[in-house]
Amino acid sequence: MKKADTLAKNVSLQFDELARKTENISERKKVLFILSLQDGRIMAGGSDTHADGIIQLAGGQNAVKSISGYKPVSNEAVIEAAPDIILMMDRRGDHAANNDEIIKHPALSQTPATKNGKIIRMNGLYILGFGPRTAEAATELSAEMYSDLSVKAN
C-alpha cells in the first residue's frame, strides 16, 4: 500500500506542476492528431478521444474538436482547421507515414504545422495509455508544442 500511495502522490504532484506550467498559455496551439494516413486519407482524433485528452492536458486545443471519436477527415476540413502542430504516434507498418509524405500531402502541406516543421511523434502507449506516466507524457508533449515559450523552463 505504501508504494501505491507514494506513486499516487507523485503522479498528483506531476499533474499539479503541469497545470501550473500550462495555465497561463495565452494562445493555445491547435493540434491535429493523426491516427493514420493510409492511401492519403487522414484518420484524425476528434473530441471524446484519448488524443483529445492528452492535447488538452498539454495545454493545446484539438484542431478537429467538432468531430467525435477517431474519424476520417476531408482535405477541406484539415485545411480549414489550420493546425499549428501535427501529432502522431511513432509507428511502423501500413499506418505509418514519414514526414515527407505528410509535407507533400495535398491538405497537410497547406497547414501552419507543415510550413513551420511542427510534426511531433511520440510513442502511442505513452501518450494515449493514460496510466501513471500520463502527466509525464503530457508535460513532454507540452514542452514540444511550446518549445518557443518558457513552458519547459519552469
Side-chain angles (χ1 to χ4, degrees), residues 15-142:
F15 275 116
D16 291 346
E17 178 68 11
L18 174 62
R20 188 186 64 71
K21 288 180 178 181
T22 60
E23 70 185 346
N24 293 321
I25 296 172
S26 58
E27 279 191 54
R28 306 239 171 221
K29 305 272 184 169
K30 290 190 290 183
V31 182
L32 175 65
F33 177 82
I34 299 177
L35 182 63
S36 69
L37 183 64
Q38 193 170 19
D39 298 326
R41 293 187 315 260
I42 299 168
M43 178 73 72
S47 60
D48 305 315
T49 64
H50 286 117
D52 184 57
I54 200 74
I55 289 166
Q56 288 184 47
L57 282 172
Q61 62 177 327
N62 192 331
V64 292
K65 64 183 172 193
S66 61
I67 66 168
S68 179
Y70 294 98
K71 294 202 171 81
V73 289
S74 69
N75 287 349
E76 294 80 10
V78 170
I79 293 167
E80 187 177 322
D84 301 303
I85 295 165
I86 293 170
L87 175 61
M88 299 182 75
M89 291 185 287
D90 209 3
R91 61 189 335 182
R92 297 185 178 104
D94 292 342
H95 297 287
N98 63 40
N99 283 3
D100 197 44
E101 289 175 90
I102 293 166
I103 291 167
K104 290 181 179 178
H105 187 277
L108 296 171
S109 65
Q110 298 181 52
T111 65
T114 57
K115 290 177 182 175
N116 296 319
K118 289 300 280 186
I119 301 169
I120 300 171
R121 294 175 188 272
M122 295 178 76
N123 178 282
L125 185 57
Y126 185 53
I127 60 171
L128 302 178
F130 279 80
R133 298 187 310 156
T134 301
E136 180 184 325
T139 300
E140 187 177 318
L141 175 58
S142 184

